[in-house]
Amino acid sequence: MAEQPVEDRAVEAHVPPVLPQWVYDYRPPRPKVVVKRDLLPAVCLLGALSALAIPMGWLWSLLAPGQNKVVQDGAELIPVGGESYHRLDDLMIFVVMGLAAGLLTGIATWMLRERRGPVIMLAAVAGSALAAYLGQKTGIGMAAGHYATTGTLNIGDMVMTAPVLETAWGAVAWPLATALAYGCLAAWNGLDDLGRRLG
């Protein structure tokens, strides 16, 4: 068989790719944290949350159980049987109320769509902590008024004493639940600006 002439054979040509002089690569600017514009709403939120201490303390003073105690020599009050367990009940009621209030606070703060961000979240957590602390003080004072004893006490008399909160650690539940609820909603959102521009 006769060999084809060189001019009739297909020759592979290596053509370098033609690259454009510029590549259109648009990346929208990453939103920055807004501080100055959110400062006044954050202070207002902190004040509004601290006002919730009064209903929180009042509700706790109604729900928390008191302790039955017997008057001993020297006007000393001794708890009756297992009544001393009510000290833990008083604390747990306040903690559960704080968790519920924190969950609602985090969700309500997230609904402020045009103010979403770390500034308003920090204000919500700080306001929750202040409200929980003031709620403890207010609740103890109101409970003392509900269980005030009148008249003279004799040895052997049984009296119902007011509920107490012997530790301040119960105040941690409210701000912790607020931060957790707000953080979960922010993580679930997934937008760089948390949806502020859509508000």
mmCIF file of all heavy atoms in Angstrom, residues 106-123:
data_model
loop_
_atom_site.group_PDB
_atom_site.id
_atom_site.type_symbol
_atom_site.label_atom_id
_atom_site.label_comp_id
_atom_site.label_asym_id
_atom_site.label_seq_id
_atom_site.Cartn_x
_atom_site.Cartn_y
_atom_site.Cartn_z
ATOM 1 N N GLY A 106 -34.732 35.526 73.975
ATOM 2 C CA GLY A 106 -33.905 35.306 72.790
ATOM 3 C C GLY A 106 -34.709 35.338 71.505
ATOM 4 O O GLY A 106 -34.294 35.934 70.508
ATOM 5 N N ILE A 107 -35.885 34.713 71.515
ATOM 6 C CA ILE A 107 -36.733 34.692 70.317
ATOM 7 C C ILE A 107 -37.274 36.085 70.017
ATOM 8 O O ILE A 107 -37.280 36.535 68.865
ATOM 9 C CB ILE A 107 -37.870 33.674 70.486
ATOM 10 C CG1 ILE A 107 -37.294 32.255 70.561
ATOM 11 C CG2 ILE A 107 -38.880 33.790 69.361
ATOM 12 C CD1 ILE A 107 -38.298 31.195 70.915
ATOM 13 N N ALA A 108 -37.730 36.785 71.067
ATOM 14 C CA ALA A 108 -38.279 38.135 70.856
ATOM 15 C C ALA A 108 -37.205 39.095 70.358
ATOM 16 O O ALA A 108 -37.472 39.946 69.498
ATOM 17 C CB ALA A 108 -38.890 38.647 72.160
ATOM 18 N N THR A 109 -35.982 38.965 70.873
ATOM 19 C CA THR A 109 -34.895 39.830 70.407
ATOM 20 C C THR A 109 -34.544 39.525 68.957
ATOM 21 O O THR A 109 -34.224 40.427 68.180
ATOM 22 C CB THR A 109 -33.667 39.649 71.308
ATOM 23 O OG1 THR A 109 -34.039 39.891 72.665
ATOM 24 C CG2 THR A 109 -32.560 40.603 70.934
ATOM 25 N N TRP A 110 -34.611 38.267 68.574
ATOM 26 C CA TRP A 110 -34.326 37.898 67.191
ATOM 27 C C TRP A 110 -35.357 38.484 66.235
ATOM 28 O O TRP A 110 -35.058 38.765 65.073
ATOM 29 C CB TRP A 110 -34.296 36.376 67.071
ATOM 30 C CG TRP A 110 -34.054 35.898 65.672
ATOM 31 C CD1 TRP A 110 -34.965 35.373 64.806
ATOM 32 C CD2 TRP A 110 -32.808 35.909 64.963
ATOM 33 N NE1 TRP A 110 -34.370 35.054 63.608
ATOM 34 C CE2 TRP A 110 -33.036 35.370 63.684
ATOM 35 C CE3 TRP A 110 -31.524 36.319 65.300
ATOM 36 C CZ2 TRP A 110 -32.042 35.240 62.737
ATOM 37 C CZ3 TRP A 110 -30.520 36.184 64.349
ATOM 38 C CH2 TRP A 110 -30.789 35.653 63.086
ATOM 39 N N MET A 111 -36.567 38.706 66.711
ATOM 40 C CA MET A 111 -37.610 39.263 65.850
ATOM 41 C C MET A 111 -37.366 40.736 65.515
ATOM 42 O O MET A 111 -38.005 41.267 64.621
ATOM 43 C CB MET A 111 -38.983 39.111 66.529
ATOM 44 C CG MET A 111 -39.359 37.662 66.815
ATOM 45 S SD MET A 111 -39.262 36.603 65.384
ATOM 46 C CE MET A 111 -40.767 37.002 64.575
ATOM 47 N N LEU A 112 -36.445 41.386 66.225
ATOM 48 C CA LEU A 112 -36.054 42.755 65.866
ATOM 49 C C LEU A 112 -35.120 42.674 64.657
ATOM 50 O O LEU A 112 -33.904 42.828 64.780
ATOM 51 C CB LEU A 112 -35.369 43.440 67.053
ATOM 52 C CG LEU A 112 -36.178 43.534 68.338
ATOM 53 C CD1 LEU A 112 -35.309 44.047 69.464
ATOM 54 C CD2 LEU A 112 -37.392 44.418 68.143
ATOM 55 N N ARG A 113 -35.679 42.440 63.506
ATOM 56 C CA ARG A 113 -34.906 42.039 62.333
ATOM 57 C C ARG A 113 -33.889 43.091 61.895
ATOM 58 O O ARG A 113 -32.764 42.770 61.532
ATOM 59 C CB ARG A 113 -35.867 41.738 61.184
ATOM 60 C CG ARG A 113 -35.171 41.201 59.969
ATOM 61 C CD ARG A 113 -36.166 40.654 58.981
ATOM 62 N NE ARG A 113 -35.480 39.758 58.084
ATOM 63 C CZ ARG A 113 -36.064 38.783 57.433
ATOM 64 N NH1 ARG A 113 -37.325 38.556 57.607
ATOM 65 N NH2 ARG A 113 -35.381 38.020 56.623
ATOM 66 N N GLU A 114 -34.267 44.350 61.932
ATOM 67 C CA GLU A 114 -33.367 45.397 61.455
ATOM 68 C C GLU A 114 -32.239 45.681 62.439
ATOM 69 O O GLU A 114 -31.346 46.472 62.130
ATOM 70 C CB GLU A 114 -34.155 46.676 61.178
ATOM 71 C CG GLU A 114 -35.143 46.536 60.034
ATOM 72 C CD GLU A 114 -35.887 47.819 59.760
ATOM 73 O OE1 GLU A 114 -35.643 48.812 60.461
ATOM 74 O OE2 GLU A 114 -36.721 47.818 58.837
ATOM 75 N N ARG A 115 -32.261 45.057 63.606
ATOM 76 C CA ARG A 115 -31.222 45.287 64.621
ATOM 77 C C ARG A 115 -30.424 44.026 64.919
ATOM 78 O O ARG A 115 -29.675 43.997 65.891
ATOM 79 C CB ARG A 115 -31.865 45.797 65.917
ATOM 80 C CG ARG A 115 -32.623 47.075 65.773
ATOM 81 C CD ARG A 115 -31.738 48.187 65.326
ATOM 82 N NE ARG A 115 -32.477 49.433 65.118
ATOM 83 C CZ ARG A 115 -32.035 50.428 64.396
ATOM 84 N NH1 ARG A 115 -30.867 50.343 63.792
ATOM 85 N NH2 ARG A 115 -32.735 51.520 64.245
ATOM 86 N N ARG A 116 -30.575 43.004 64.137
ATOM 87 C CA ARG A 116 -29.872 41.755 64.417
ATOM 88 C C ARG A 116 -28.358 41.946 64.373
ATOM 89 O O ARG A 116 -27.835 42.649 63.516
ATOM 90 C CB ARG A 116 -30.269 40.680 63.398
ATOM 91 C CG ARG A 116 -31.679 40.177 63.574
ATOM 92 C CD ARG A 116 -32.027 39.170 62.513
ATOM 93 N NE ARG A 116 -33.412 38.742 62.640
ATOM 94 C CZ ARG A 116 -34.039 38.003 61.746
ATOM 95 N NH1 ARG A 116 -33.407 37.606 60.659
ATOM 96 N NH2 ARG A 116 -35.296 37.661 61.927
ATOM 97 N N GLY A 117 -27.688 41.288 65.294
ATOM 98 C CA GLY A 117 -26.238 41.372 65.330
ATOM 99 C C GLY A 117 -25.706 41.213 66.739
ATOM 100 O O GLY A 117 -26.469 41.032 67.698
ATOM 101 N N PRO A 118 -24.391 41.284 66.887
ATOM 102 C CA PRO A 118 -23.792 41.052 68.200
ATOM 103 C C PRO A 118 -24.099 42.136 69.221
ATOM 104 O O PRO A 118 -24.156 41.859 70.419
ATOM 105 C CB PRO A 118 -22.290 40.986 67.904
ATOM 106 C CG PRO A 118 -22.113 41.669 66.601
ATOM 107 C CD PRO A 118 -23.377 41.469 65.843
ATOM 108 N N VAL A 119 -24.335 43.377 68.774
ATOM 109 C CA VAL A 119 -24.599 44.456 69.728
ATOM 110 C C VAL A 119 -25.913 44.219 70.443
ATOM 111 O O VAL A 119 -25.999 44.295 71.680
ATOM 112 C CB VAL A 119 -24.601 45.824 69.006
ATOM 113 C CG1 VAL A 119 -24.987 46.934 69.961
ATOM 114 C CG2 VAL A 119 -23.245 46.096 68.394
ATOM 115 N N ILE A 120 -26.949 43.906 69.697
ATOM 116 C CA ILE A 120 -28.264 43.696 70.309
ATOM 117 C C ILE A 120 -28.275 42.392 71.108
ATOM 118 O O ILE A 120 -28.980 42.270 72.110
ATOM 119 C CB ILE A 120 -29.372 43.736 69.238
ATOM 120 C CG1 ILE A 120 -30.713 44.173 69.841
ATOM 121 C CG2 ILE A 120 -29.523 42.428 68.548
ATOM 122 C CD1 ILE A 120 -30.797 45.618 70.117
ATOM 123 N N MET A 121 -27.492 41.395 70.666
ATOM 124 C CA MET A 121 -27.430 40.151 71.424
ATOM 125 C C MET A 121 -26.764 40.361 72.785
ATOM 126 O O MET A 121 -27.234 39.865 73.802
ATOM 127 C CB MET A 121 -26.671 39.086 70.645
ATOM 128 C CG MET A 121 -26.751 37.722 71.305
ATOM 129 S SD MET A 121 -25.391 36.620 70.897
ATOM 130 C CE MET A 121 -24.059 37.305 71.827
ATOM 131 N N LEU A 122 -25.668 41.127 72.806
ATOM 132 C CA LEU A 122 -25.002 41.409 74.073
ATOM 133 C C LEU A 122 -25.903 42.212 74.998
ATOM 134 O O LEU A 122 -25.916 41.994 76.219
ATOM 135 C CB LEU A 122 -23.692 42.153 73.822
ATOM 136 C CG LEU A 122 -22.582 41.338 73.159
ATOM 137 C CD1 LEU A 122 -21.390 42.228 72.849
ATOM 138 C CD2 LEU A 122 -22.164 40.172 74.042
ATOM 139 N N ALA A 123 -26.681 43.131 74.429
ATOM 140 C CA ALA A 123 -27.621 43.903 75.245
ATOM 141 C C ALA A 123 -28.706 43.001 75.820
ATOM 142 O O ALA A 123 -29.110 43.165 76.982
ATOM 143 C CB ALA A 123 -28.242 45.021 74.417
#
